[in-house]
């Protein structure tokens, strides 16, 4: 996606008197995949992009085509229009990647090659070292919070005890990053994902989120299949991130019932109880109050979804994201974005303004007075 932005293949395009922001032409992208040796031929290129559609990474700009056609049709990355469904599992995975990049980019990193029982391990660190570092870098406020983060990373297969015998503890136990985020990956790896056994055993696969079980030989992972449903492969014992603090040893406790929500719909039903017009919002004495929110995006984004148009409203807010921390709520109406008046715009245009703007987002919203 970033390479396509740099190469100007992703840009605002006009079709039938309408402008579609941040999109690409399918035929041009297939050409690009072949020219940059990401695909050996057009058929493979089409299969690769279909995989991205199946994983809710790209979609047709009007959602009129559920398959990828090698034609002059406009498609867009969901990350560019705010429709990418972020589950808690994906967020933990991206948090792990962000921490890894931060660790390897500094001098005197705690990640080192170390030896235990005559075996050398790459990207290793002591549990207490990681806790110290997380607090020092502001990634955690205290040691308990740092341990909870470490346990979440281990449960998702991002870090691991070097001999896979311990959960994450604030001690001198040796761990390592199980996934090498710096390894250059090629898109063609997506076509090998049908081999679930190979995927689950590969520490370098970026396309699955493993849920590790302390019992030897009993691991499982989530795989987003072509039927667009989340499939749970084998049984798994895990606790949620929030529950870790309330149990002295939750990792080895009896398995709770594990329920995963369905993948987010592309066009969910509006959260508004009734339509609201700009005239109603701006009329003197209207029961609405204006609030200014300053939202600092993290490695995942800002944590909210805008829908509707003229005016747009907040359709969803991630309860653990930056927007919720800033005071954003569902059903608020978007008045301005970074100083630009937007009551007259649709959600695609507002999403484009947000995605192409600075990391620190200043929004004015109008909220109904209870």
């Amino acid at each position: 996606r970033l390479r396509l932005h740099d190469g100007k293949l992703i840009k605002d395009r006009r079709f039938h008197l309408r402008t579609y922001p941040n999109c690409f032409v399918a035929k041009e992208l297939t050409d690009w995949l072949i020219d940059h040796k990401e695909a050996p031929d057009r058929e493979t290129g089409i299969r690769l992009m279909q995989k991205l559609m199946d994983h809710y990474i790209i979609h047709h700009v009007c959602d009129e085509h559920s398959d990828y056609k090698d034609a002059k049709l406009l498609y867009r990355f969901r990350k560019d229009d705010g429709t990418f469904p972020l589950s808690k599992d994906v967020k933990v995975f991206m948090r792990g990647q962000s921490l890894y990049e931060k660790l390897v980019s500094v001098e005197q990193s705690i990640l080192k090659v170390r030896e235990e029982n005559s075996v050398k391990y790459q990207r290793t660190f002591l549990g207490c070292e990681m806790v110290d570092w997380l607090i020092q870098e502001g990634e955690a406020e205290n040691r308990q919070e740092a341990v909870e983060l470490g346990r979440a990373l281990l449960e998702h297969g991002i870090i691991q005890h070097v001999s896979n015998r311990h959960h994450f503890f604030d001690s001198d136990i040796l761990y390592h990053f199980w996934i090498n985020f710096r390894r250059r990956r090629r898109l063609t790896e997506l076509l090998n994902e049908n081999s679930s056994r190979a995927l689950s055993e590969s520490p370098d696969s970026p396309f699955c989120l493993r849920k590790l079980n302390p019992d030897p030989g009993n691991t499982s992972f989530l795989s987003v299949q072509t039927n667009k449903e989340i499939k749970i492969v084998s049984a798994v014992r895990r606790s949620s991130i929030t529950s870790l603090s309330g149990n002295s040893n939750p990792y080895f406790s009896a398995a709770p019932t594990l329920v995963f929500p369905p993948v987010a719909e592309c066009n969910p039903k509006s959260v508004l109880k009734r339509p609201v017009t700009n005239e109603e919002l701006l009329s003197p004495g209207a029961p609405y109050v204006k609030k200014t929110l300053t939202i600092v995006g993290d490695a995942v984004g800002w944590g909210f979804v805008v829908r509707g148009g003229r005016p747009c409203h907040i359709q969803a807010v991630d309860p653990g994201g930056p927007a919720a921390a800033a005071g954003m709520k569902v059903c608020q109406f978007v008045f301005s974005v970074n100083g630009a008046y937007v009551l007259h715009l649709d959600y695609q245009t507002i999403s484009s303004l947000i995605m192409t703007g600075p990391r620190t987002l200043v929004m004015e919203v109008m909220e109904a007075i209870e």
Side-chain angles (χ1 to χ4, degrees):
R1 169 178 161 268
L2 295 178
R3 291 168 68 192
L4 294 174
H5 273 287
D6 291 340
K8 306 300 182 185
L9 260 76
I10 294 179
K11 58 186 178 182
D12 295 355
R13 298 175 185 270
R14 194 163 179 81
F15 182 72
H16 285 177
L17 303 179
R18 180 177 175 181
T19 299
Y20 296 89
N22 293 323
C23 58
F24 59 87
V25 178
K27 190 174 186 303
E28 292 180 6
L29 181 54
T30 309
D31 294 337
W32 185 91
L33 290 172
I34 296 172
D35 292 342
H36 289 76
K37 303 190 186 311
E38 291 288 352
D41 49 52
R42 304 194 78 81
E43 180 184 354
T44 304
I46 294 168
R47 289 170 60 206
L48 287 170
M49 300 314 292
Q50 184 62 50
K51 282 286 184 182
L52 297 187
M53 290 196 73
D54 294 339
H55 283 280
Y56 282 89
I57 293 172
I58 64 172
H59 68 128
H60 181 257
V61 291
C62 298
D63 290 317
E64 292 177 354
H65 301 278
S66 59
D67 53 352
Y68 181 82
K69 298 181 183 295
D70 185 21
K72 291 185 178 181
L73 295 173
L74 299 181
Y75 292 81
R76 183 187 292 131
F77 279 82
R78 292 190 178 277
K79 194 76 182 290
D80 284 334
D81 63 9
T83 62
F84 181 62
L86 287 172
S87 67
K88 288 183 179 179
D89 303 301
V90 173
K91 288 179 184 177
V92 173
F93 186 87
M94 296 181 76
R95 181 77 183 277
Q97 182 177 20
S98 172
L99 293 174
Y100 182 85
E101 292 294 340
K102 198 171 180 179
L103 279 164
V104 299
S105 63
V106 299
E107 294 182 8
Q108 298 181 335
S109 172
I110 63 173
L111 298 187
K112 299 175 183 176
V113 178
R114 291 182 173 94
E115 187 174 313
E116 185 171 287
N117 296 329
S118 301
V119 179
K120 283 189 176 180
Y121 297 95
Q122 303 286 332
R123 308 182 290 275
T124 69
F125 56 90
L126 300 177
C128 55
E129 285 182 334
M130 177 62 81
V131 171
D132 291 339
W133 181 83
L134 289 171
I135 296 173
Q136 175 187 326
E137 296 297 317
E139 297 288 348
E141 292 187 2
N142 51 56
R143 303 192 80 81
Q144 180 180 345
E145 186 177 314
V147 170
E148 290 175 10
L149 175 55
R151 291 190 164 210
L153 295 175
L154 189 144
E155 289 187 355
H156 286 76
I158 296 168
I159 65 173
Q160 186 183 69
H161 176 246
V162 290
S163 56
N164 200 21
R165 293 181 179 178
H166 299 287
H167 206 325
F168 184 80
F169 293 101
D170 183 5
S171 66
D172 58 357
I173 297 176
L174 190 60
Y175 302 89
H176 65 154
F177 269 86
W178 181 239
I179 298 176
N180 180 8
F181 289 104
R182 283 287 180 94
R183 184 179 71 81
R184 177 170 174 79
R185 299 172 174 87
R186 305 202 69 84
L187 278 174
T188 48
E189 292 180 41
L190 275 170
L191 300 180
N192 299 323
E193 71 165 1
N194 289 332
S195 174
S196 59
R197 180 174 179 81
L199 252 183
S200 63
E201 293 178 351
S202 170
D204 286 331
S205 173
F207 304 113
C208 70
L209 296 172
R210 290 174 299 282
K211 300 283 188 177
L212 300 187
N213 188 295
D215 298 335
N218 185 13
T219 61
S220 65
F221 60 92
L222 297 180
S223 176
V224 182
Q225 305 295 325
T226 53
N227 62 4
K228 300 176 185 174
E229 294 178 352
I230 299 248
K231 181 180 180 182
I232 302 177
V233 183
S234 84
V236 59
R237 284 192 281 175
R238 76 179 283 264
S239 301
S240 67
I241 298 173
T242 54
S243 69
L244 289 172
S245 60
N247 191 328
S248 60
N249 195 0
Y251 190 69
F252 297 99
S253 64
T257 303
L258 190 62
V259 180
F260 287 92
V263 173
E265 298 177 5
C266 300
N267 298 297
K269 183 179 179 181
S270 173
V271 295
L272 298 179
K273 294 180 180 179
R274 63 177 182 82
V276 176
T277 64
N278 284 338
E279 291 73 17
E280 182 179 345
L281 278 178
L282 301 176
S283 62
Y288 295 95
V289 60
K290 188 188 297 183
K291 295 183 177 180
T292 301
L293 309 177
T294 301
I295 309 165
V296 181
D298 57 18
V300 177
W302 293 271
F304 68 95
V305 175
V306 177
R307 282 293 180 270
R310 306 175 184 87
C312 288
H313 65 274
I314 304 301
Q315 174 73 15
V317 180
D318 173 10
M328 181 173 284
K329 302 174 183 176
V330 296
C331 297
Q332 290 174 333
F333 295 95
V334 184
F335 183 86
S336 72
V337 174
N338 294 326
Y341 175 78
V342 297
L343 280 181
H344 61 297
L345 301 178
D346 58 22
Y347 78 87
Q348 292 99 331
T349 307
I350 291 180
S351 296
S352 178
L353 278 175
I354 293 170
M355 296 299 294
T356 57
R359 181 184 176 192
T360 300
L361 176 65
V362 179
M363 290 180 63
E364 287 183 297
V365 297
M366 300 189 72
E367 180 180 307
I369 300 173
E370 296 182 359

Short mmCIF file of all heavy atoms in Angstrom, two decimals, residues 87-90 92-93 148 151-157 167 209-214 218 220-222 232 234-244 247 249-261:
data_model
loop_
_atom_site.label_atom_id
_atom_site.label_comp_id
_atom_site.label_asym_id
_atom_site.label_seq_id
_atom_site.Cartn_x
_atom_site.Cartn_y
_atom_site.Cartn_z
N SER A 87 -9.91 -6.07 14.69
CA SER A 87 -10.28 -6.85 15.86
C SER A 87 -9.21 -6.65 16.94
O SER A 87 -8.13 -6.12 16.67
CB SER A 87 -10.36 -8.34 15.49
OG SER A 87 -9.07 -8.83 15.16
N LYS A 88 -9.51 -7.07 18.14
CA LYS A 88 -8.53 -6.97 19.23
C LYS A 88 -7.28 -7.76 18.90
O LYS A 88 -6.17 -7.36 19.24
CB LYS A 88 -9.14 -7.46 20.54
CG LYS A 88 -10.18 -6.52 21.13
CD LYS A 88 -10.70 -7.03 22.46
CE LYS A 88 -11.73 -6.07 23.05
NZ LYS A 88 -12.26 -6.56 24.35
N ASP A 89 -7.45 -8.89 18.21
CA ASP A 89 -6.30 -9.73 17.87
C ASP A 89 -5.37 -9.01 16.90
O ASP A 89 -4.15 -9.06 17.05
CB ASP A 89 -6.79 -11.04 17.26
CG ASP A 89 -7.74 -11.79 18.17
OD1 ASP A 89 -7.33 -12.11 19.30
OD2 ASP A 89 -8.89 -12.03 17.78
N VAL A 90 -5.94 -8.35 15.90
CA VAL A 90 -5.12 -7.61 14.94
C VAL A 90 -4.40 -6.46 15.64
O VAL A 90 -3.24 -6.17 15.36
CB VAL A 90 -5.99 -7.09 13.78
CG1 VAL A 90 -5.18 -6.18 12.87
CG2 VAL A 90 -6.55 -8.25 12.98
N VAL A 92 -3.38 -6.32 18.78
CA VAL A 92 -2.25 -6.83 19.54
C VAL A 92 -1.10 -7.15 18.60
O VAL A 92 0.07 -6.87 18.88
CB VAL A 92 -2.66 -8.09 20.35
CG1 VAL A 92 -1.44 -8.72 21.02
CG2 VAL A 92 -3.68 -7.71 21.41
N PHE A 93 -1.41 -7.74 17.45
CA PHE A 93 -0.38 -8.07 16.47
C PHE A 93 0.34 -6.80 16.01
O PHE A 93 1.57 -6.76 15.96
CB PHE A 93 -1.04 -8.77 15.27
CG PHE A 93 -0.06 -9.28 14.24
CD1 PHE A 93 0.52 -10.52 14.37
CD2 PHE A 93 0.26 -8.50 13.16
CE1 PHE A 93 1.42 -11.00 13.42
CE2 PHE A 93 1.16 -8.95 12.20
CZ PHE A 93 1.74 -10.20 12.33
N GLU A 148 1.02 -7.44 31.77
CA GLU A 148 -0.20 -7.76 31.03
C GLU A 148 0.04 -7.65 29.53
O GLU A 148 -0.42 -8.50 28.75
CB GLU A 148 -1.33 -6.82 31.45
CG GLU A 148 -1.84 -7.07 32.87
CD GLU A 148 -2.88 -6.04 33.29
OE1 GLU A 148 -3.32 -5.26 32.42
OE2 GLU A 148 -3.24 -6.01 34.47
N ARG A 151 2.15 -10.60 28.41
CA ARG A 151 1.35 -11.83 28.34
C ARG A 151 0.45 -11.84 27.10
O ARG A 151 0.25 -12.88 26.47
CB ARG A 151 0.52 -11.97 29.61
CG ARG A 151 1.40 -12.25 30.83
CD ARG A 151 0.61 -12.64 32.06
NE ARG A 151 1.52 -13.25 33.03
CZ ARG A 151 1.16 -14.17 33.90
NH1 ARG A 151 -0.08 -14.60 33.94
NH2 ARG A 151 2.04 -14.67 34.75
N ALA A 152 -0.09 -10.69 26.77
CA ALA A 152 -0.93 -10.62 25.56
C ALA A 152 -0.08 -10.92 24.32
O ALA A 152 -0.52 -11.65 23.43
CB ALA A 152 -1.56 -9.23 25.45
N LEU A 153 1.13 -10.38 24.27
CA LEU A 153 2.02 -10.64 23.13
C LEU A 153 2.38 -12.12 23.05
O LEU A 153 2.45 -12.69 21.96
CB LEU A 153 3.29 -9.80 23.25
CG LEU A 153 3.12 -8.27 23.17
CD1 LEU A 153 4.45 -7.57 23.43
CD2 LEU A 153 2.55 -7.85 21.82
N LEU A 154 2.60 -12.74 24.20
CA LEU A 154 2.95 -14.16 24.18
C LEU A 154 1.76 -15.02 23.76
O LEU A 154 1.91 -15.95 22.99
CB LEU A 154 3.46 -14.57 25.57
CG LEU A 154 4.06 -15.98 25.66
CD1 LEU A 154 5.24 -16.02 26.63
CD2 LEU A 154 3.02 -17.01 26.09
N GLU A 155 0.57 -14.68 24.25
CA GLU A 155 -0.62 -15.47 23.90
C GLU A 155 -0.93 -15.40 22.41
O GLU A 155 -1.54 -16.30 21.85
CB GLU A 155 -1.83 -15.00 24.70
CG GLU A 155 -1.75 -15.36 26.17
CD GLU A 155 -3.03 -15.03 26.93
OE1 GLU A 155 -3.93 -14.44 26.32
OE2 GLU A 155 -3.10 -15.37 28.12
N HIS A 156 -0.51 -14.31 21.77
CA HIS A 156 -0.76 -14.16 20.34
C HIS A 156 0.43 -14.63 19.51
O HIS A 156 0.47 -14.40 18.29
CB HIS A 156 -1.09 -12.70 20.01
CG HIS A 156 -2.47 -12.31 20.44
ND1 HIS A 156 -2.80 -12.06 21.75
CD2 HIS A 156 -3.61 -12.14 19.72
CE1 HIS A 156 -4.07 -11.74 21.83
NE2 HIS A 156 -4.59 -11.79 20.62
N GLY A 157 1.41 -15.29 20.13
CA GLY A 157 2.51 -15.88 19.37
C GLY A 157 3.52 -14.90 18.87
O GLY A 157 4.32 -15.21 17.99
N HIS A 167 4.94 -18.78 30.77
CA HIS A 167 4.24 -17.58 30.34
C HIS A 167 5.17 -16.40 30.59
O HIS A 167 6.34 -16.59 30.95
CB HIS A 167 2.93 -17.44 31.14
CG HIS A 167 1.87 -16.66 30.41
ND1 HIS A 167 2.16 -15.59 29.60
CD2 HIS A 167 0.52 -16.81 30.36
CE1 HIS A 167 1.05 -15.10 29.10
NE2 HIS A 167 0.03 -15.83 29.54
N LEU A 209 -2.68 -15.12 13.13
CA LEU A 209 -2.49 -14.72 14.53
C LEU A 209 -2.61 -15.98 15.37
O LEU A 209 -3.69 -16.53 15.51
CB LEU A 209 -3.56 -13.70 14.93
CG LEU A 209 -3.48 -12.37 14.19
CD1 LEU A 209 -4.69 -11.53 14.52
CD2 LEU A 209 -2.22 -11.63 14.57
N ARG A 210 -1.48 -16.43 15.89
CA ARG A 210 -1.50 -17.68 16.63
C ARG A 210 -1.91 -17.45 18.07
O ARG A 210 -1.47 -16.51 18.73
CB ARG A 210 -0.13 -18.34 16.58
CG ARG A 210 0.22 -18.87 15.22
CD ARG A 210 1.64 -19.38 15.20
NE ARG A 210 2.60 -18.33 15.51
CZ ARG A 210 2.98 -17.41 14.65
NH1 ARG A 210 2.46 -17.40 13.45
NH2 ARG A 210 3.84 -16.48 14.99
N LYS A 211 -2.73 -18.35 18.60
CA LYS A 211 -3.07 -18.37 20.01
C LYS A 211 -2.32 -19.55 20.61
O LYS A 211 -2.60 -20.69 20.29
CB LYS A 211 -4.56 -18.56 20.22
CG LYS A 211 -5.40 -17.47 19.60
CD LYS A 211 -5.33 -16.25 20.46
CE LYS A 211 -6.33 -15.22 19.93
NZ LYS A 211 -6.37 -14.05 20.73
N LEU A 212 -1.34 -19.26 21.45
CA LEU A 212 -0.50 -20.34 21.96
C LEU A 212 -1.10 -20.96 23.20
O LEU A 212 -1.64 -20.28 24.06
CB LEU A 212 0.90 -19.81 22.27
CG LEU A 212 1.63 -19.22 21.06
CD1 LEU A 212 3.05 -18.90 21.45
CD2 LEU A 212 1.62 -20.18 19.88
N ASN A 213 -0.97 -22.29 23.31
CA ASN A 213 -1.44 -23.02 24.47
C ASN A 213 -0.23 -23.58 25.19
O ASN A 213 0.70 -24.05 24.55
CB ASN A 213 -2.35 -24.17 24.00
CG ASN A 213 -3.04 -24.87 25.16
OD1 ASN A 213 -2.39 -25.49 25.97
ND2 ASN A 213 -4.36 -24.75 25.20
N PRO A 214 -0.17 -23.53 26.54
CA PRO A 214 1.01 -24.01 27.23
C PRO A 214 1.25 -25.50 27.09
O PRO A 214 2.34 -25.97 27.34
CB PRO A 214 0.75 -23.64 28.70
CG PRO A 214 -0.74 -23.54 28.80
CD PRO A 214 -1.20 -23.01 27.46
N ASN A 218 0.12 -28.39 21.33
CA ASN A 218 -1.29 -28.05 21.14
C ASN A 218 -1.41 -26.55 20.93
O ASN A 218 -1.62 -25.81 21.86
CB ASN A 218 -2.09 -28.50 22.37
CG ASN A 218 -3.58 -28.26 22.16
OD1 ASN A 218 -4.01 -28.01 21.04
ND2 ASN A 218 -4.35 -28.34 23.22
N SER A 220 -2.88 -23.25 18.34
CA SER A 220 -3.95 -22.94 17.40
C SER A 220 -3.77 -21.52 16.90
O SER A 220 -2.99 -20.75 17.43
CB SER A 220 -5.32 -23.08 18.07
OG SER A 220 -5.45 -22.13 19.08
N PHE A 221 -4.48 -21.19 15.86
CA PHE A 221 -4.37 -19.85 15.30
C PHE A 221 -5.68 -19.50 14.62
O PHE A 221 -6.52 -20.36 14.37
CB PHE A 221 -3.20 -19.76 14.31
CG PHE A 221 -3.33 -20.70 13.13
CD1 PHE A 221 -3.94 -20.27 11.97
CD2 PHE A 221 -2.86 -22.00 13.21
CE1 PHE A 221 -4.06 -21.12 10.89
CE2 PHE A 221 -2.99 -22.85 12.13
CZ PHE A 221 -3.58 -22.41 10.97
N LEU A 222 -5.82 -18.22 14.34
CA LEU A 222 -6.98 -17.75 13.59
C LEU A 222 -6.60 -17.60 12.14
O LEU A 222 -5.54 -17.09 11.82
CB LEU A 222 -7.45 -16.39 14.11
CG LEU A 222 -7.93 -16.35 15.57
CD1 LEU A 222 -8.34 -14.94 15.90
CD2 LEU A 222 -9.09 -17.30 15.75
N ILE A 232 -11.84 -20.95 13.80
CA ILE A 232 -10.97 -21.29 14.92
C ILE A 232 -10.43 -22.69 14.68
O ILE A 232 -11.19 -23.64 14.56
CB ILE A 232 -11.73 -21.24 16.26
CG1 ILE A 232 -12.31 -19.83 16.45
CG2 ILE A 232 -10.82 -21.62 17.41
CD1 ILE A 232 -13.15 -19.71 17.70
N SER A 234 -8.55 -25.78 15.98
CA SER A 234 -8.26 -26.53 17.21
C SER A 234 -8.68 -25.77 18.45
O SER A 234 -8.96 -24.58 18.41
CB SER A 234 -6.78 -26.93 17.29
OG SER A 234 -6.01 -25.89 17.82
N ALA A 235 -8.75 -26.47 19.57
CA ALA A 235 -9.17 -25.85 20.83
C ALA A 235 -8.07 -24.94 21.36
O ALA A 235 -6.91 -25.09 21.03
CB ALA A 235 -9.47 -26.95 21.86
N VAL A 236 -8.47 -23.99 22.21
CA VAL A 236 -7.48 -23.04 22.71
C VAL A 236 -7.88 -22.57 24.09
O VAL A 236 -9.05 -22.42 24.38
CB VAL A 236 -7.36 -21.83 21.75
CG1 VAL A 236 -8.66 -21.12 21.59
CG2 VAL A 236 -6.31 -20.85 22.24
N ARG A 237 -6.88 -22.35 24.94
CA ARG A 237 -7.12 -21.77 26.25
C ARG A 237 -6.44 -20.41 26.28
O ARG A 237 -5.25 -20.31 26.03
CB ARG A 237 -6.53 -22.65 27.35
CG ARG A 237 -7.36 -23.88 27.62
CD ARG A 237 -6.90 -24.55 28.89
NE ARG A 237 -5.70 -25.33 28.67
CZ ARG A 237 -5.05 -25.93 29.65
NH1 ARG A 237 -5.44 -25.82 30.89
NH2 ARG A 237 -3.96 -26.65 29.40
N ARG A 238 -7.19 -19.39 26.58
CA ARG A 238 -6.60 -18.06 26.71
C ARG A 238 -7.50 -17.21 27.56
O ARG A 238 -8.69 -17.45 27.67
CB ARG A 238 -6.40 -17.41 25.34
CG ARG A 238 -7.66 -16.86 24.70
CD ARG A 238 -7.37 -16.21 23.37
NE ARG A 238 -6.78 -14.91 23.52
CZ ARG A 238 -7.45 -13.76 23.48
NH1 ARG A 238 -8.74 -13.79 23.30
NH2 ARG A 238 -6.85 -12.62 23.62
N SER A 239 -6.91 -16.17 28.13
CA SER A 239 -7.68 -15.17 28.85
C SER A 239 -7.61 -13.88 28.06
O SER A 239 -6.67 -13.65 27.32
CB SER A 239 -7.08 -14.94 30.24
OG SER A 239 -7.07 -16.14 30.98
N SER A 240 -8.60 -13.04 28.22
CA SER A 240 -8.55 -11.75 27.55
C SER A 240 -7.49 -10.89 28.19
O SER A 240 -7.04 -11.14 29.30
CB SER A 240 -9.90 -11.05 27.65
OG SER A 240 -10.15 -10.70 28.99
N ILE A 241 -7.07 -9.84 27.50
CA ILE A 241 -6.04 -8.95 28.03
C ILE A 241 -6.51 -8.33 29.32
O ILE A 241 -5.75 -8.19 30.27
CB ILE A 241 -5.73 -7.85 26.99
CG1 ILE A 241 -5.18 -8.50 25.71
CG2 ILE A 241 -4.72 -6.85 27.53
CD1 ILE A 241 -5.00 -7.54 24.58
N THR A 242 -7.77 -7.96 29.39
CA THR A 242 -8.27 -7.27 30.58
C THR A 242 -8.40 -8.21 31.77
O THR A 242 -8.34 -7.77 32.90
CB THR A 242 -9.65 -6.64 30.29
OG1 THR A 242 -10.53 -7.66 29.79
CG2 THR A 242 -9.52 -5.54 29.27
N SER A 243 -8.56 -9.49 31.52
CA SER A 243 -8.76 -10.41 32.64
C SER A 243 -7.46 -10.84 33.28
O SER A 243 -7.46 -11.44 34.34
CB SER A 243 -9.52 -11.65 32.17
OG SER A 243 -8.71 -12.44 31.33
N LEU A 244 -6.33 -10.55 32.64
CA LEU A 244 -5.06 -11.05 33.16
C LEU A 244 -4.74 -10.50 34.54
O LEU A 244 -4.09 -11.15 35.34
CB LEU A 244 -3.93 -10.70 32.19
CG LEU A 244 -3.94 -11.48 30.86
CD1 LEU A 244 -2.91 -10.91 29.92
CD2 LEU A 244 -3.67 -12.95 31.11
N ASN A 247 -6.41 -12.42 37.84
CA ASN A 247 -6.21 -13.83 38.12
C ASN A 247 -4.72 -14.06 38.33
O ASN A 247 -3.91 -13.64 37.53
CB ASN A 247 -6.73 -14.66 36.94
CG ASN A 247 -6.78 -16.15 37.28
OD1 ASN A 247 -5.98 -16.65 38.04
ND2 ASN A 247 -7.76 -16.83 36.68
N ASN A 249 -2.91 -16.64 38.04
CA ASN A 249 -2.28 -17.44 37.01
C ASN A 249 -3.30 -17.83 35.96
O ASN A 249 -3.63 -19.00 35.80
CB ASN A 249 -1.66 -18.70 37.64
CG ASN A 249 -0.68 -19.38 36.69
OD1 ASN A 249 -0.47 -18.92 35.58
ND2 ASN A 249 -0.09 -20.47 37.14
N PRO A 250 -3.81 -16.86 35.22
CA PRO A 250 -4.92 -17.14 34.30
C PRO A 250 -4.51 -17.98 33.11
O PRO A 250 -5.32 -18.64 32.50
CB PRO A 250 -5.36 -15.75 33.86
CG PRO A 250 -4.12 -14.92 33.96
CD PRO A 250 -3.38 -15.47 35.14
N TYR A 251 -3.23 -17.94 32.75
CA TYR A 251 -2.80 -18.65 31.55
C TYR A 251 -3.01 -20.15 31.68
O TYR A 251 -3.30 -20.84 30.71
CB TYR A 251 -1.33 -18.35 31.31
CG TYR A 251 -0.80 -18.82 29.98
CD1 TYR A 251 -1.23 -18.22 28.80
CD2 TYR A 251 0.09 -19.88 29.89
CE1 TYR A 251 -0.76 -18.64 27.58
CE2 TYR A 251 0.57 -20.30 28.68
CZ TYR A 251 0.15 -19.67 27.52
OH TYR A 251 0.63 -20.09 26.32
N PHE A 252 -2.88 -20.64 32.91
CA PHE A 252 -3.03 -22.07 33.11
C PHE A 252 -4.37 -22.44 33.72
O PHE A 252 -4.56 -23.55 34.18
CB PHE A 252 -1.89 -22.58 34.00
CG PHE A 252 -0.54 -22.41 33.36
CD1 PHE A 252 0.27 -21.34 33.69
CD2 PHE A 252 -0.11 -23.29 32.39
CE1 PHE A 252 1.50 -21.18 33.08
CE2 PHE A 252 1.13 -23.14 31.78
CZ PHE A 252 1.94 -22.08 32.12
N SER A 253 -5.29 -21.49 33.80
CA SER A 253 -6.61 -21.78 34.36
C SER A 253 -7.47 -22.51 33.36
O SER A 253 -7.11 -22.65 32.20
CB SER A 253 -7.29 -20.47 34.78
OG SER A 253 -7.53 -19.67 33.64
N ALA A 254 -8.63 -22.95 33.81
CA ALA A 254 -9.54 -23.64 32.90
C ALA A 254 -9.96 -22.71 31.78
O ALA A 254 -10.07 -21.52 31.95
CB ALA A 254 -10.78 -24.12 33.67
N ALA A 255 -10.19 -23.29 30.64
CA ALA A 255 -10.49 -22.49 29.46
C ALA A 255 -11.83 -21.80 29.56
O ALA A 255 -12.84 -22.46 29.81
CB ALA A 255 -10.48 -23.39 28.22
N PRO A 256 -11.88 -20.48 29.37
CA PRO A 256 -13.17 -19.80 29.32
C PRO A 256 -13.82 -20.05 27.97
O PRO A 256 -13.17 -20.48 27.03
CB PRO A 256 -12.79 -18.32 29.47
CG PRO A 256 -11.42 -18.25 28.87
CD PRO A 256 -10.76 -19.57 29.18
N THR A 257 -15.09 -19.76 27.87
CA THR A 257 -15.77 -19.86 26.59
C THR A 257 -15.23 -18.79 25.67
O THR A 257 -15.19 -17.62 26.03
CB THR A 257 -17.28 -19.66 26.76
OG1 THR A 257 -17.76 -20.64 27.68
CG2 THR A 257 -18.01 -19.81 25.43
N LEU A 258 -14.79 -19.19 24.50
CA LEU A 258 -14.14 -18.25 23.59
C LEU A 258 -15.10 -17.87 22.49
O LEU A 258 -15.54 -18.72 21.73
CB LEU A 258 -12.88 -18.90 23.00
CG LEU A 258 -11.95 -17.99 22.20
CD1 LEU A 258 -11.40 -16.90 23.12
CD2 LEU A 258 -10.81 -18.79 21.62
N VAL A 259 -15.46 -16.62 22.42
CA VAL A 259 -16.42 -16.15 21.43
C VAL A 259 -15.79 -15.03 20.63
O VAL A 259 -15.26 -14.08 21.19
CB VAL A 259 -17.71 -15.62 22.10
CG1 VAL A 259 -18.68 -15.14 21.04
CG2 VAL A 259 -18.35 -16.71 22.94
N PHE A 260 -15.80 -15.15 19.31
CA PHE A 260 -15.26 -14.12 18.46
C PHE A 260 -16.40 -13.44 17.70
O PHE A 260 -17.25 -14.12 17.14
CB PHE A 260 -14.27 -14.71 17.44
CG PHE A 260 -12.97 -15.12 18.06
CD1 PHE A 260 -12.79 -16.41 18.51
CD2 PHE A 260 -11.96 -14.20 18.24
CE1 PHE A 260 -11.61 -16.79 19.10
CE2 PHE A 260 -10.77 -14.57 18.82
CZ PHE A 260 -10.59 -15.87 19.26
N PRO A 261 -16.42 -12.11 17.66
CA PRO A 261 -17.48 -11.43 16.92
C PRO A 261 -17.27 -11.61 15.44
O PRO A 261 -16.15 -11.87 14.99
CB PRO A 261 -17.26 -9.95 17.32
CG PRO A 261 -15.81 -9.87 17.67
CD PRO A 261 -15.46 -11.19 18.27
#
